[in-house]
Amino acid sequence: MRASTRGLKTYRSKRDFMQTREPSGELPVAPSKRLRFVIQKHSATRLHYDFRLELDGVFLSWAVTRGPSLDPHDKRLAVEVEPHPLDYGDFEGTIPKGQYGGGTVMLWDRGYWEPEGGSAEAMLQKGDLKFRLYGKKLHGSWVLVRMKNDKYGGGKRTNWLLIKHKDEYAHEGDHDVLLKDDRSVASGRSMPDIAAGKGRKPKPFMLAKGRAFASNAVWHSKGASRETRPAAPTTTKKKRVSGKKASKLPKFVEPELTRLVDHPPSGNGWAHEIKFDGYRVQARVEDGVAVLDTRKGLDWTERFPAIAKAAQELPDCILDGEVVALEKDGTPNFAALQAALSEKNTDALIYFVFDLLFVRNGELEDLRELALSDRKARLKALLDGHFKRKDTPIRYVEHFETDGETFLQSACRMHLEGIISKNLSAPYRPGSREGWTKSKCRAGHEVVIGGWSETSGKFRSLLAGVHRGKQFVYVGRVGTGYGGEVVSRLLPKLKAVRASESPFQGANAPRKEREVHWVKPVLVAEIEFAGWTSDGNIRQAAFKGLREDKPARDVEAEHPVKTAHLVKLKTKDAARGGNATVMGIAISHPDKALWPDAGDGKPVTKLDLARYFEAAGPWMMPHIEGRPCSIVRAPDGIDHEQFFQRHAGPGTSKLLSLVRVSGDHKAYLKIDRVEGLAAVAQMAGIELHPWNSRPDKPQVPGRLVFDLDPAPDVSFDRVVAAALELKQRLEALRFAVFCKTTGGKGLHVVTPLPETEWIGWPEAKALARGICAEMAEDDPDKYLVTMAKKDRSGKIFLDYLRNDKTSTTVAPLSPRARPGATVSMPLTWSQVKKGLDPKRFTVRTAMALLAKSKAWSDYKPARAAKKAVDQWRGIAGK
């Protein structure tokens, strides 16, 4: 991950990066789910403390002239300076006298911060930034207040006051008690040690793994000579790992394949690479002879002579990579690759290599069982050792160990096809799709051509199909992407395989038209399209080129799988009191108790919650994904302040999606991947309340929820009886009916709605009210449909109000912010009987109990007959 360049113009204008190793914002920075802060003690012309808060990819920075004070009455002047790059936050060393900012720099404190009371940007604009620090030396609540008549971002100097809020970390009276702790938090060194270049080098906090500044780091600023330019930050060299001995090179290795996913995997242990839009090629070099094979083992050496010639410089080896044509801006272009092959002008093509399977280094080694990280290290060393020229056609593919979603967004902004994500610890698995995934910026697919159409004798579109089982089925027309040169190359190939009959099978096969010409289904085309229709056809498809490296019989419809269904990396928990990782998400303060007791005398911690979500996630996801979802957060546990979060705030995890709803200005939170549940646990989110809409269609009801809410003097057995009666009424209307506890004193009865869009929210609410009203009318001594407390005694409130567009219901298996850490437990109807105890279903017990049950196993959208719908509407109209 690299720092954003936003806001660094002033910083860069003051430095000549040809003459200084001060960061320009280009060094790789470690990803973080939390915002970071750094305070650097800076003995320049005047001693001061540089206070830096991470926001929007840079460090917002202030020079605090006397350093921070723990006394709330002691207001310290903080002069706003230009934003700094994030990699600056690891520097500890010396800037020579006479240079910009000359003096000794110590990493005095660092840690994490979060805004308090609103958006950080809004508070900065207002000039009143409230925040909380979690550092080594600084803790608790603070505020930066802009001094009167100073404008944010304007003028030569903008002055603020840094003030400590009154809390348990405040220390009144002794103003400088904090500053007496004069040792680096990164190296343990004093200012004289740092100035002399003695002692340990600082431990990295901002820089990516494997990078650190030396203990005697010196930065020359603008005006320094090139001879005094210091070395770059040191990179830890990894010891070479050897593969197993091999007797000979195989002729061909079946390539490892990728699985299309809806989201790239996140967390530690994943490497992300650019997805190249070209031809997969395996290079085999033996005794100075290179052979280039396609992914199906076809010999294409003669097609790429320049690449083959360059590969002959390598020792015996087998490489895996992609041959690509590059635009002037460096982006791959599949159409240009097709043109180069057609014109036999391939010298400018590039072979991007991302894996090394065999190599001879004295002895021949089979590297396939090594971890990907080791194979790539060997690959980079091999290529760097043999190709010194910048114009070589064989290049190493860099990878990034950063947040997958962020990397995908960057790729999309660069108009790339997408990214490939790979498990760094996995071996090379020929033919497997388990360790590698692909995530696309725009939908792409391979299709088989079954015909073409013309208009007035001119080419108009291709008729495309794919194999589904044993049938070759029609999936639509590819109507754009044809220039004059493309058609002139394409038509002769189509005419060469003309057929007298349609090759398409199935119910939706197109009929013969006057200007439709059939072809044998042997030509494979690469297309882009806007997605699949409900009946399995492609929408808005554009032609990219023909593929000759894949047999037509292998082309099948490909739909993205949920990332949650992939094999997960093993969870690695840190030592007690430190961080822990669940589903790739670092859980800070894992031992913090969110519930004091789960009915077993033991507290439920943040780590316990994250592990519960990991276990319950695959079951929960179908009931929450694609829907706006509010989260109840309790950062200090259920006995302290709680708040309801509907929208994204500062520092919200990128694993949580956003959805905009027509008529609402702010986007709502949405959980579309199981890892998002770990992110919820990390933010101490203890309850999930999704809308009752259909997935990805917030304007359409997806289920009805009836909340049976008893008065305090009503027994739970009576609630059970009410649920059974409501079940009978709904089943009489031919609907599937399900039940769950609320995690409190009531029950929820749930019925999925038909998979049709004719029911709107007002109608759904009216229908629910009609059913409840009929039930209350039949037995007014037991039930009511009004919320008036004076009428509630001895009755059950049939709450139909959750069936409105923005209304929510606690999700199945969601924990509740209640004593005992209870959850909203899905039940079978055989469990809904006298003596049912909802308190037995807790974060500790729920998953084990669910494993013994078939609760909700047949939950699916109900398909109501027209007669049932009419009956239902009749009830609602009463």
Side-chain angles (χ1 to χ4, degrees):
M1 175 175 157
R2 299 185 183 274
S4 165
T5 57
R6 176 186 172 189
L8 295 179
K9 184 177 180 181
T10 303
Y11 171 87
R12 287 172 170 165
S13 70
K14 295 180 178 181
R15 294 158 177 85
D16 183 351
F17 295 104
M18 292 298 291
Q19 301 183 21
T20 177
R21 277 294 182 179
E22 287 182 88
S24 62
E26 296 301 320
L27 288 177
V29 173
S32 175
K33 303 303 179 185
R34 304 173 67 188
L35 297 170
R36 293 162 284 197
F37 83 90
V38 168
I39 299 177
Q40 289 162 312
K41 184 176 181 178
H42 192 170
S43 180
T45 305
R46 182 178 180 183
L47 179 66
H48 64 278
Y49 292 74
D50 292 315
F51 182 47
R52 312 192 193 280
L53 297 176
E54 178 184 3
L55 191 68
D56 291 336
V58 297
F59 272 132
L60 302 184
S61 299
W62 292 261
V64 183
T65 53
R66 292 171 53 209
S69 172
L70 294 181
D71 187 346
H73 303 290
D74 189 13
K75 302 172 182 177
R76 295 291 168 95
L77 177 66
V79 181
E80 185 179 344
V81 297
E82 72 273 11
H84 281 50
L86 295 181
D87 36 356
Y88 200 105
D90 268 0
F91 175 65
E92 181 172 273
T94 302
I95 302 174
K97 299 295 183 184
Q99 309 294 311
Y100 179 78
T104 303
V105 177
M106 170 199 282
L107 287 165
W108 185 80
D109 195 20
R110 62 191 184 186
Y112 301 95
W113 77 282
E114 60 186 29
E116 287 191 322
S119 158
E121 188 62 38
M123 288 190 282
L124 283 166
Q125 292 288 347
K126 187 179 177 182
D128 185 17
L129 176 62
K130 297 182 180 68
F131 55 94
R132 191 171 187 87
L133 297 180
Y134 303 89
K136 298 289 185 181
K137 299 177 182 179
L138 299 187
H139 308 275
S141 294
W142 297 73
V143 64
L144 274 164
V145 181
R146 190 170 60 240
M147 297 178 67
K148 195 173 181 180
N149 299 324
D150 273 331
K151 294 183 178 179
Y152 177 59
K156 200 166 185 179
R157 283 173 172 259
T158 306
N159 296 323
W160 300 66
L161 296 175
L162 177 63
I163 308 168
K164 181 74 185 75
H165 277 156
K166 290 183 179 179
D167 60 16
E168 66 270 31
Y169 300 106
H171 195 287
E172 298 188 28
D174 190 349
H175 296 173
D176 294 322
V177 62
L178 188 68
L179 306 184
K180 295 174 183 177
D181 185 359
D182 196 29
R183 289 275 173 179
S184 164
V185 296
S187 67
R189 299 184 294 171
S190 65
M191 290 290 275
D193 291 338
I194 296 169
K198 297 179 180 178
R200 295 183 303 163
K201 67 181 180 182
K203 185 178 179 180
F205 178 60
M206 301 301 302
L207 291 175
K209 186 178 181 181
R211 289 183 175 264
F213 292 105
S215 60
N216 61 345
V218 178
W219 277 349
H220 290 262
S221 274
K222 204 168 183 176
S225 68
R226 295 196 182 192
E227 285 71 24
T228 62
R229 182 177 177 178
T234 59
T235 301
T236 304
K237 289 186 178 179
K238 188 173 182 180
K239 184 178 179 181
R240 196 189 81 176
V241 180
S242 299
K244 67 179 182 180
K245 294 180 182 179
S247 59
K248 62 179 181 179
L249 279 179
K251 292 296 183 182
F252 179 73
V253 176
E254 186 180 4
E256 182 159 358
L257 304 175
T258 59
R259 185 191 300 273
L260 179 64
V261 294
D262 58 344
H263 292 285
S266 295
N268 299 327
W270 289 95
H272 307 286
E273 300 170 350
I274 290 171
K275 185 179 187 304
F276 293 101
D277 200 2
Y279 279 125
R280 181 83 173 268
V281 167
Q282 186 175 115
R284 181 184 184 277
V285 183
E286 187 172 28
D287 297 331
V289 177
V291 176
L292 307 180
D293 289 330
T294 68
R295 57 183 169 180
K296 288 295 181 179
L298 301 176
D299 187 344
W300 278 21
T301 310
E302 292 185 0
R303 296 194 176 200
F304 306 121
I307 295 172
K309 182 179 179 181
Q312 290 172 3
E313 299 179 26
L314 296 170
D316 294 358
C317 62
I318 293 182
L319 309 174
D320 193 358
E322 191 107 353
V323 173
V324 175
L326 296 179
E327 295 275 23
K328 291 181 180 180
D329 62 359
T331 57
N333 186 317
F334 188 75
L337 175 60
Q338 288 289 300
L341 286 169
S342 177
E343 296 163 10
K344 299 183 179 179
N345 182 17
T346 63
D347 286 356
L349 301 181
I350 305 297
Y351 181 39
F352 284 100
V353 185
F354 45 70
D355 218 323
L356 178 62
L357 311 186
F358 285 80
V359 68
R360 186 179 295 282
N361 185 42
E363 293 182 311
L364 184 64
E365 296 177 66
D366 181 350
L367 307 183
R368 289 175 293 176
E369 290 302 315
L370 297 183
L372 173 64
S373 57
D374 295 322
R375 300 198 308 274
K376 290 207 70 173
R378 294 288 302 271
L379 173 63
K380 190 173 192 312
L382 176 70
L383 298 184
D384 286 349
H386 285 81
F387 300 115
K388 305 294 185 182
R389 306 186 318 273
K390 290 185 177 180
D391 61 347
T392 177
I394 300 180
R395 300 181 189 175
Y396 173 74
V397 176
E398 297 283 355
H399 66 268
F400 299 85
E401 297 175 48
T402 183
D403 176 69
E405 201 71 53
T406 301
F407 189 63
L408 176 62
Q409 291 170 7
S410 297
C412 295
R413 284 195 294 270
M414 295 169 64
H415 305 292
L416 299 173
E417 187 182 7
I419 68 173
I420 303 293
S421 303
K422 301 176 180 178
N423 184 337
L424 277 168
S425 64
Y428 191 92
R429 300 185 180 102
S432 171
R433 298 181 187 270
E434 293 305 313
W436 296 5
T437 74
K438 59 185 175 184
S439 310
K440 295 186 177 183
C441 296
R442 51 193 183 274
H445 210 285
E446 294 156 355
V447 294
V448 179
I449 301 171
W452 82 92
S453 68
E454 297 178 344
T455 300
S456 301
K458 292 185 178 180
F459 180 88
R460 189 178 82 180
S461 65
L462 291 174
L463 280 67
V466 297
H467 289 93
R468 290 193 176 122
K470 295 182 179 181
Q471 288 191 321
F472 176 60
V473 299
Y474 176 71
V475 293
R477 299 196 181 210
V478 183
T480 61
Y482 310 105
E485 292 184 7
V486 172
V487 173
S488 66
R489 291 195 300 266
L490 181 60
L491 268 177
K493 295 181 179 180
L494 293 173
K495 291 178 180 179
V497 291
R498 287 184 73 157
S500 58
E501 296 181 355
S502 170
F504 297 109
Q505 301 163 297
N508 66 339
R511 296 179 180 179
K512 172 67 177 174
E513 300 175 15
R514 186 167 57 89
E515 293 192 279
V516 166
H517 308 277
W518 306 120
V519 300
K520 298 174 184 177
V522 294
L523 297 177
V524 178
E526 182 83 12
I527 65 167
E528 284 182 4
F529 64 111
W532 298 95
T533 65
S534 59
D535 57 354
N537 281 3
I538 51 179
R539 293 190 295 110
Q540 302 173 23
F543 179 76
K544 291 175 64 178
L546 292 179
R547 295 204 73 102
E548 300 176 53
D549 60 336
K550 186 171 184 179
R553 188 64 190 84
D554 291 351
V555 177
E556 298 179 342
E558 184 180 40
H559 297 275
V561 301
K562 300 293 182 184
T563 308
H565 296 166
L566 301 177
V567 176
K568 298 182 179 66
L569 299 177
K570 292 183 179 179
T571 300
K572 295 180 180 179
D573 294 339
R576 185 172 179 81
N579 282 351
T581 302
V582 177
M583 291 189 281
I585 308 303
I587 306 299
S588 62
H589 308 294
D591 291 331
K592 176 175 280 188
L594 299 181
W595 286 268
D597 182 7
D600 55 3
K602 299 177 183 178
V604 177
T605 65
K606 274 181 72 177
L607 181 57
D608 292 334
L609 176 63
R611 286 172 171 163
Y612 171 76
F613 277 143
E614 182 179 31
W619 201 102
M620 296 176 69
M621 289 308 297
H623 301 283
I624 60 176
E625 63 185 329
R627 303 169 177 91
C629 186
S630 299
I631 301 169
V632 175
R633 295 177 61 188
D636 296 311
I638 67 166
D639 293 334
H640 299 275
E641 184 180 4
Q642 302 173 24
F643 57 95
F644 207 65
Q645 183 174 345
R646 295 181 178 86
H647 311 288
T652 298
S653 171
K654 292 183 176 63
L655 293 173
L656 301 180
S657 307
L658 296 178
V659 58
R660 294 198 172 272
V661 179
S662 176
D664 292 319
H665 297 295
K666 282 183 137 183
Y668 290 89
L669 287 173
K670 187 163 57 113
I671 304 170
D672 281 341
R673 52 200 302 190
V674 75
E675 296 93 337
L677 293 172
V680 169
Q682 163 58 16
M683 58 195 277
I686 56 180
E687 291 190 5
L688 304 176
H689 292 259
W691 286 19
N692 292 312
S693 58
R694 286 177 60 183
D696 299 313
K697 292 188 177 181
Q699 306 291 358
V700 181
R703 58 194 170 215
L704 291 185
V705 177
F706 302 87
D707 183 5
L708 307 184
D709 183 9
D713 58 345
V714 174
S715 69
F716 197 76
D717 284 345
R718 281 189 52 194
V719 180
V720 167
L724 293 171
E725 181 178 345
L726 184 55
K727 172 180 181 282
Q728 288 182 337
R729 291 174 180 269
L730 289 168
E731 286 182 337
L733 296 173
R734 304 180 189 178
F735 290 111
V737 191
F738 302 86
C739 188
K740 66 184 180 75
T741 66
T742 63
K745 59 182 180 177
L747 288 172
H748 285 156
V749 175
V750 181
T751 181
L753 290 178
E755 288 184 332
T756 53
E757 299 188 15
W758 52 263
I759 297 178
W761 282 109
E763 186 174 23
K765 184 178 179 181
L767 292 169
R769 187 190 185 286
I771 291 170
C772 292
E774 184 182 71
M775 190 166 163
E777 185 179 312
D778 290 345
D779 205 337
D781 293 333
K782 292 183 180 178
Y783 311 118
L784 75 166
V785 291
T786 60
M787 297 182 66
K789 287 187 178 180
K790 63 182 180 62
D791 301 326
R792 294 285 304 276
S793 180
K795 297 181 182 180
I796 297 173
F797 172 42
L798 305 178
D799 184 358
Y800 62 89
L801 299 173
R802 300 183 184 278
N803 302 293
D804 215 341
K805 187 174 80 168
T806 59
S807 296
T808 64
T809 304
V810 69
L813 289 179
S814 169
R816 301 306 304 268
R818 299 173 184 268
T822 54
V823 304
S824 179
M825 185 70 177
L827 303 169
T828 62
W829 281 108
S830 63
Q831 292 175 288
V832 184
K833 60 184 178 181
K834 188 175 181 179
L836 175 64
D837 180 8
K839 293 181 181 179
R840 67 188 292 250
F841 306 114
T842 71
V843 168
R844 295 259 202 266
T845 64
M847 295 313 297
L849 292 171
L850 191 63
K852 302 174 183 177
S853 158
K854 293 185 178 180
W856 293 39
S857 59
D858 56 346
Y859 185 99
K860 58 185 177 181
R863 298 179 181 276
K866 175 114 180 15
K867 183 178 179 182
V869 173
D870 291 340
Q871 276 183 281
W872 201 16
R873 283 178 165 152
I875 292 172
K878 289 185 180 180

